[in-house]
Amino acid sequence: MRRLSVAMASGLLVGCASLDPWSQPPAAQRLQRDDTVGDCVRRFQASDILIDAAGTRDVQAVRVPGFPYLRVDRTLASLADEVDGQPQRAAEWSAALAAQDEAGRRVELHNAGRDAAAAAASMADCRRLLALADQQQLPALQEAAQVPDDYSNTRRVLGLYPLTRYAFAAGISAWQRDTRAEFAAALAGGPHGAPRTRYLAAEQLDELPDLRQAAALGLPPISRERLAALIIRHAPRLEIGTLDDNDRPGALVWQHDSGDSLQLGVDVDQAVLYVRSAHGRLGGRWLLQLVYSVWFPARPPAHAYDVLAGRLDGLLWRVTLDEDGAPLVYDSIHPCGCYHLFIPTGRVRARPQPESIDEGLFAPQSVRAPAVDERVVLHLATGTHYLHGVSVEPFRRRVGEGGILMALRDDDQLRRLPLPGGGSRSAFGTDGLVAGSERLERFYFWPTGIASAGQMRQWGRHATAFVGRRHFDDPTLLDRYFERQP
């Protein structure tokens, strides 16, 4: 019993410490200074107070304790130990942390009804001053610039996770068996059931994803034109079993419900494929990743007590590119972080995996890497929107031959969606979750440590394993499961 109490207390203390980045040095010490450095720190503190009062905090990247003008994601955190003895690399890494805060703070202030551009410009000089003042704080910054995982140790302790994980593992094995059967049936050309609707991406982008991390990652430079070309080339096509509007992908929008309250919904009259860039590591090399996502109005119940059903649903499809721009590995999840599966190409092979009941590599299909004049097609099930097959087909330029056209939009637009009466609001709450998309499964899966299992969530908040620990945005994930073919 004493060990249980200590474990619970430790988990709670860690959570409390992560909530207040101002309680840690050097920020806590500099708040007391009566000089320009102290003024700058207080300016950031005032900004945080305003943002928290407005309830517009964004958690795509987390604030660094003790360094209020910096934020970190898992990619930048993985580089913390690689800047020792390299002043230029350390400066680039710190600049990427500052860029994360600038982007996040701009979103927060904009959603709070402030002039975000003016506020960001006024704080730019303070960022430079604080970066200069913190040059001797690199060891402390390296230690602090970490992202807590999205699993709660307290929940796992209370849920007797060491015992209950065996039951969850059995359920995952059953899902994997069913998924393999569905993929096999799709590859064999089995019956489709509902009528199929085809979608293909437009050949232009509304806005390009942010490239500011590239220098800090040591990636080869990539022009905006090259990035745009890769996004268009690798945008997947969709073939979806369609019974009603719940199977039609659309744009996430704020809209009034029947009671005139605001709720997040999907405008199916605007077919949209959202995209963001990311980075992963394979064999010691940093590689560009493109992450595409679609959203559906709901996952309708398959029966009277379907704990997986609820408002809003979707699919994320990630393409990891080799240096020549050809795909190495595909993988996919739903916006809840659930149903993580891999689709490798012939350029990689699976690494031997240790014996464990933890969720590991699940690859129900492989696929040949499409040529420049070919496109990948994702076959999605009716209602559940499960991915149950991947194919490659020739590229056709005439829209009438391909299906419904989907606009390509920057996924970061979801962080500040327009409101019907003016202003903006993020699709995601201050906890990174999408309000109104809760599932009944959360009452059964809480012992896994995942907050509100089954609920849609923001990029950077996708825990993808009920048994074990795994995050979709972990840049070391590919190295865990794959190696290049010799």
Side-chain angles (χ1 to χ4, degrees), residues 216-278:
L217 297 173
L219 289 174
I222 181 171
S223 68
R224 294 177 63 83
E225 293 76 17
R226 173 64 170 159
L227 179 62
L230 289 172
I231 288 172
I232 292 168
R233 172 186 168 185
H234 294 290
R237 296 178 171 184
L238 307 178
E239 186 179 276
I240 307 171
T242 307
L243 283 179
D244 55 33
D245 280 355
N246 290 319
D247 296 320
R248 294 175 60 193
L252 276 179
V253 294
W254 285 105
Q255 54 192 206
H256 291 290
D257 62 13
S258 57
D260 207 35
S261 297
L262 282 176
Q263 67 175 9
L264 195 65
V266 174
D267 181 356
V268 297
D269 292 327
Q270 299 183 58
V272 174
L273 185 64
Y274 295 97
V275 62
R276 70 167 47 251
S277 62

Side-chain angles (χ1 to χ4, degrees), residues 251 352 434:
V434 178

Side-chain angles (χ1 to χ4, degrees), residues 58-116:
D58 183 272
V59 295
Q60 183 165 294
V62 300
R63 291 179 291 169
V64 180
F67 300 86
Y69 63 100
L70 304 177
R71 301 192 196 195
V72 65
D73 59 18
R74 288 191 174 87
T75 298
L76 290 173
S78 73
L79 289 164
D81 294 332
E82 298 184 16
V83 300
D84 288 325
Q86 301 183 63
Q88 181 60 35
R89 188 72 179 271
E92 291 173 345
W93 179 68
S94 179
L97 296 174
Q100 285 279 10
D101 180 75
E102 192 278 332
R105 200 171 292 271
R106 186 185 292 265
V107 165
E108 293 162 343
L109 291 170
H110 188 279
N111 291 340
R114 301 290 171 152
D115 186 338

